[in-house]
Amino acid sequence: MTNSDFKWDTKRLQFDTVIKPFESEDEELNDFLLNDAKHYLVQRLAVTYLIENETDTIAYFCLSNDTVQRSMADKAGWKRVRKHIPNAKLRSSYPAVKIGRLAVSKKYVSSGFGKLMIQIVWRIFVSDTQQTGCRFITVDAYRNATDFYIRNRFDFLTGEDESDKTRLMYFDLNNISL
Ligand SMILES: CC(C)(COP(=O)(O)OP(=O)(O)OC[C@H]1O[C@@H](n2cnc3c(N)ncnc32)[C@H](O)[C@@H]1OP(=O)(O)O)[C@@H](O)C(=O)NCCC(=O)NCCS
């Protein structure tokens, strides 16, 4: 099954949204959506986007402002970050958006919804109505999800977090044409 075999809709979580049942394989991510996402919204710490059908929350992700800074990368990582930035625009930090959390319900994994969410982030940040400059997407990727992000053309910022629980990854929004 692919996501085109399902009827689904996307929406931005509001304080009065009734969140439909959601169960991914990660308890912490389930708990965040059901118990914390609205508080993050009210405190302006993260905005949550939902993909849902009539009965279920199929998937969700959260976004917050971020920066990619020289101090976050190793030498090779920083070189990759700046590879496509013209010399005149080189600086020690660049505006970014962070995917704070991203998960697909167990019932719907491997149907393309993970990839779809990455593409939704592209569309939000690479559009003619974009209000602020934003060059990169960042994510603290769980170890079991780094390959998912690599398949979606993310790269590592540093090798120093190789044995950490999460790895810092980035995607250059100038790598896409919609
Ligand atoms: C990781 C996760 C988001 C992937 O979502 P999904 O909807 O199953 O992924 P998709 O069906 O869109 O797959 C997109 C591509 O990534 C690949 N992929 C998906 N999960 C992968 C994984 N864990 N490792 C390697 N590749 C993976 C798919 O094979 C597919 O490749 P293709 O484009 O070459 O065909 C989902 O499994 C999940 O919610 N996991 C639990 C929570 C989690 O780990 N979230 C990440 C937090 S940082």
Side-chain angles (χ1 to χ4, degrees), residues 29 102-104 110-115 142 144 147-149 151:
L29 293 174
L102 179 146
V104 178
S110 302
S111 304
F113 284 105
K115 190 180 204 139
Y142 286 2
N144 63 356
D147 286 347
F148 163 76
Y149 288 106
R151 283 198 184 235

Side-chain angles (χ1 to χ4, degrees), residues 8-27:
W8 50 267
D9 212 354
T10 57
K11 69 176 176 202
R12 183 182 184 274
L13 179 80
Q14 308 289 349
F15 198 71
D16 60 358
T17 303
V18 177
I19 300 173
K20 295 175 183 171
F22 178 77
E23 199 184 344
S24 77
E25 66 186 32
D26 187 289
E27 275 305 320

Side-chain angles (χ1 to χ4, degrees), residues 63-125:
L63 300 178
S64 304
N65 288 358
D66 197 17
T67 54
V68 170
Q69 294 174 33
R70 189 201 301 258
S71 57
M72 296 154 75
D74 62 15
K75 209 172 164 192
W78 192 241
K79 205 172 160 187
R80 284 195 299 275
V81 163
R82 310 214 307 177
K83 195 168 162 192
H84 300 293
I85 298 179
N87 277 343
K89 299 287 178 280
L90 291 179
R91 50 191 69 175
S92 57
S93 76
Y94 298 97
V97 57
K98 174 164 290 251
I99 298 177
R101 288 168 179 83
L102 179 146
V104 178
S105 165
K106 277 191 238 178
K107 261 164 90 174
Y108 300 92
V109 284
S110 302
S111 304
F113 284 105
K115 190 180 204 139
L116 176 80
M117 289 192 283
I118 303 288
Q119 290 170 346
I120 292 173
V121 181
W122 292 356
R123 282 174 201 285
I124 296 173
F125 287 90

